[in-house]
Amino acid sequence: MELNPIPLQGNWEKGWALDLNTICKDAKENDLLIVNRTDIGEHLYRLKYFGGTKEVKIIGDAAVEFIQSNFKDLDLAVIIPVPPSDLERKFQPVFLLAQYIGKKLRLPVDFDYLDKIQDTPQLIHIKEADKRKEILKNIFRVKDDRYLGKNILLFDDLYSSGETLKAITAALASEGNAAGIYVLTVTKTRVKRK
């Protein structure tokens, strides 16, 4: 699978998205904008909306290979998956992927270290950065300092504005006293043209 990794800037040490979620091509004839999913974006779409469990292996293997190449000297202690905003989903894609990646890398995956103290709407539908920040203000808590002085890999499926990852990173650093927080997402949304 072809990947085009994208560096992610934030309050973490180092972060990457494996690729964009979609790409655009201008169609000059009809003055249309054609949007296609990237390879990994298509696999993520199938996993999230059709429950394609074979997609876990495809995406997970790509993530494992990337982590082994780009995070190899970090001595990661744990993978922390981002808590889901859609609790009604039959399965949680981020959890399935984190579990697969953790098993392949022989890294623990901690599903209950991070608490989301109240439900939030799906942020993908909220475009204003200030509104996203306000919704996420003080929404995440860590249970204790079991990763005191350790390096954490924070994992999510989709990077949009980065506000969720920034809020979680702040909690992991200030409450959990982690040594370093590193971020990996499967895809990143495109920046909208104005």
Side-chain angles (χ1 to χ4, degrees):
M1 172 177 358
E2 182 181 340
L3 296 176
N4 298 292
I6 302 157
L8 301 175
Q9 303 302 314
N11 55 344
W12 43 83
E13 301 294 324
K14 186 177 180 182
W16 292 93
L18 295 177
D19 206 338
L20 288 172
N21 196 46
T22 59
I23 52 175
C24 292
K25 295 179 182 174
D26 290 319
K28 301 295 179 192
E29 290 179 21
N30 300 332
D31 201 28
L32 296 173
L33 187 64
I34 299 170
V35 178
N36 294 316
R37 289 184 198 90
T38 59
D39 287 347
I40 202 160
E42 180 64 30
H43 289 293
L44 183 61
Y45 175 79
R46 289 180 196 165
L47 172 61
K48 289 177 81 161
Y49 299 104
F50 300 104
T53 52
K54 72 177 185 175
E55 310 303 332
V56 172
K57 180 178 179 352
I58 294 167
I59 297 167
D61 286 344
V64 165
E65 186 177 323
F66 185 84
I67 292 165
Q68 288 173 329
S69 297
N70 295 277
F71 293 94
K72 62 183 172 201
D73 298 327
L74 296 179
D75 191 28
L76 295 170
V78 65
I79 299 172
I80 306 279
V82 170
S85 53
D86 182 1
L87 299 174
E88 300 300 314
R89 196 183 288 272
K90 289 181 184 176
F91 65 95
Q92 297 300 334
V94 172
F95 288 179
L96 290 175
L97 289 166
Q99 198 167 31
Y100 182 88
I101 294 164
K103 184 176 181 181
K104 289 290 235 178
L105 294 174
R106 293 189 173 110
L107 266 177
V109 179
D110 200 328
F111 295 101
D112 67 332
Y113 178 61
L114 188 63
D115 280 332
K116 192 173 179 185
I117 59 173
Q118 69 183 55
D119 288 340
T120 58
Q122 286 192 315
L123 295 180
I124 197 163
H125 304 298
I126 299 171
K127 303 303 179 206
E128 302 84 13
D130 289 343
K131 193 169 183 182
R132 284 173 179 245
K133 274 185 193 176
E134 187 59 35
I135 289 169
L136 294 168
K137 190 176 182 180
N138 300 317
I139 204 90
F140 296 103
R141 297 276 184 264
V142 298
K143 295 215 171 154
D144 51 45
D145 63 357
R146 69 185 85 159
Y147 302 114
L148 170 72
K150 304 213 179 209
N151 290 331
I152 293 172
L153 179 62
L154 183 56
F155 178 75
D156 204 357
D157 59 347
L158 180 68
Y159 178 99
S160 185
S161 69
E163 294 304 326
T164 300
L165 293 167
K166 288 175 188 171
I168 293 171
T169 296
L172 292 172
S174 65
E175 297 172 29
N177 297 302
I181 297 129
Y182 299 86
V183 167
L184 181 65
T185 68
V186 177
T187 62
K188 179 185 183 300
T189 59
R190 290 176 295 108
V191 176
K192 297 212 187 306
R193 295 184 206 172
K194 293 191 177 190

